Amino acid sequence: MPRTHWSSKKSFEEGMKVLRILGREKRMMDQKEFYPDLYKLTVGYLWGDIWTRPHLTLKERQLITIAVNIAMARPSGNVPHYNSARRVGITHEQIMETIILVGAYCGWPVMAHAVKQYGEALKEAGTSVAAITRKTRKPARRAKKKR
């Protein structure tokens, strides 16, 4: 008898709720097609159990996920996370500041890769960097040094 503790109906339903909020309910269909148990595990355990744990908001989890993905220089899978981030209210500036901070620790090539993927996400979402920065561009203020 296969073990199914990881794929309870409640966990799967909670995972689908999270995916709908993030606009990702139609993603991962390749998992569903290739091996339905993998899809159930991903939706139920990752999105239903892990992403719904207490103490962090969905917005905070999404920003952390973006930071981790940037640091790992993942070749794929980041575009949906950028779009989900925008969907839950993470701003362009917050995404760019995350890219800068992670790039400072992990290296400029990681930052350049993240910017490229973020641009792909904006294109997929039907917008552009120019459209976003036109609305939001304000020069960053440096903290005043105490003397």
Side-chain angles (χ1 to χ4, degrees), residues 97-108:
E97 289 297 325
T98 300
I99 290 171
I100 290 168
L101 181 64
V102 173
Y105 280 92
C106 297
W108 253 244

Side-chain angles (χ1 to χ4, degrees), residues 12 28-40:
F12 186 85
M28 302 174 298
M29 290 300 121
D30 56 339
Q31 289 181 16
K32 190 175 185 179
E33 180 183 343
F34 280 95
Y35 202 68
D37 281 354
L38 176 59
Y39 178 75
K40 289 176 189 171

Side-chain angles (χ1 to χ4, degrees), residues 27-62:
R27 297 273 180 178
M28 302 174 298
M29 290 300 121
D30 56 339
Q31 289 181 16
K32 190 175 185 179
E33 180 183 343
F34 280 95
Y35 202 68
D37 281 354
L38 176 59
Y39 178 75
K40 289 176 189 171
L41 176 64
T42 302
V43 174
Y45 182 66
L46 175 62
W47 298 102
D49 292 339
I50 302 299
W51 275 70
T52 60
R53 290 181 52 79
H55 310 297
L56 292 174
T57 66
L58 201 55
K59 190 174 177 178
E60 291 165 333
R61 287 180 196 283
Q62 188 61 72

Side-chain angles (χ1 to χ4, degrees), residues 15-25 58 84 87-88:
M16 287 307 296
K17 283 182 195 174
V18 171
L19 289 170
R20 279 190 287 279
I21 292 167
L22 296 173
R24 298 184 65 163
E25 67 275 14
L58 201 55
S84 294
R87 189 174 172 108
V88 294

Side-chain angles (χ1 to χ4, degrees), residues 109-120:
V110 168
M111 189 183 326
H113 182 65
V115 168
K116 181 178 183 231
Q117 289 183 328
Y118 181 43
E120 291 170 14

Side-chain angles (χ1 to χ4, degrees), residues 77-98:
N78 294 342
V79 169
H81 282 290
Y82 287 117
N83 287 330
S84 294
R86 303 280 321 269
R87 189 174 172 108
V88 294
I90 297 172
T91 67
H92 171 72
E93 291 79 13
Q94 290 170 318
I95 291 170
M96 291 308 303
E97 289 297 325
T98 300

